Amino acid sequence: MSSGRLAGIARHDRPRGPIETVDEVAVTIREGIHGDYRGAMKPDGPRKRQVSLIAAEDWAAALSDLELDEDAIEWWQRRANLLVQGVALPRREGARIHIGETLVIEAVQECDPCSRMEEIRPGLKAALTPDWRGGVLGRVLVDGAIRVGDQIRIEE
């Protein structure tokens, strides 16, 4: 099992809404990331795409392709919920991502970059496309409270 750390947490309460970064948050099967609109349970059960994760190293590689410094565009502008560092995110459905003491997220698919990335910076969508650089979408399997700095473990 490989490990890294949680480097950032972000959420937004509505589509195209402003992004809020926080240092800690509760994550549940029923709600996804507390305060984030995407993770809330639908009437027919939990959403498949509750949480989005991106690796700091993949974000840096995309910015490098655009010949930008790592801090030229904040990671949360990608609209991902969690920024991980020091560990490669899984690139297959079914892998488990453990964060902190109890949270478990199941990887369900690649987070394909959308055309909104072009609104941020021309070329960003293409820079995030190769090798799952845009991140991973997941669903919550086990509730947990997480905070920036928590350990992340990947169970392939």
Side-chain angles (χ1 to χ4, degrees):
M1 196 180 305
S2 57
S3 67
R5 72 175 192 88
L6 182 60
I9 303 168
R11 61 188 179 187
H12 51 297
D13 63 359
R14 63 187 180 279
R16 290 196 171 262
I19 300 291
E20 174 188 25
T21 58
V22 295
D23 292 330
E24 57 186 85
V25 73
V27 184
T28 65
I29 293 169
R30 175 163 293 292
E31 193 177 21
I33 292 179
H34 177 73
D36 189 78
Y37 85 97
R38 188 168 302 271
M41 187 176 285
K42 300 183 299 186
D44 59 342
R47 293 181 183 268
K48 186 175 180 182
R49 301 169 45 153
Q50 289 182 293
V51 179
S52 56
L53 303 94
I54 190 167
E57 295 80 1
D58 290 337
W59 180 248
L63 294 182
S64 177
D65 282 0
L66 297 173
E67 298 181 355
L68 297 172
D69 293 332
E70 284 187 33
D71 58 351
I73 304 171
E74 295 289 342
W75 71 273
W76 47 263
Q77 289 184 282
R78 169 67 178 101
R79 303 190 79 75
N81 297 120
L82 304 177
L83 179 69
V84 306
Q85 191 170 43
V87 64
L89 287 169
R91 283 154 166 73
R92 70 166 187 83
E93 184 177 323
R96 306 275 171 102
I97 304 163
H98 300 260
I99 304 175
E101 306 233 350
T102 61
L103 180 63
V104 181
I105 297 169
E106 177 185 28
V108 295
Q109 69 186 67
E110 178 178 6
C111 185
D112 294 319
C114 66
S115 58
R116 293 195 60 202
M117 297 303 101
E118 293 304 294
E119 295 172 17
I120 296 169
R121 175 72 182 218
L124 185 57
K125 179 180 177 182
L128 287 167
T129 299
D131 198 29
W132 289 52
R133 271 190 195 168
V136 173
L137 296 171
R139 74 172 149 227
V140 179
L141 297 180
V142 179
D143 298 353
I146 58 172
R147 62 191 44 83
V148 171
D150 277 353
Q151 183 181 32
I152 296 179
R153 299 163 314 284
I154 307 296
E155 179 185 353
E156 294 281 347

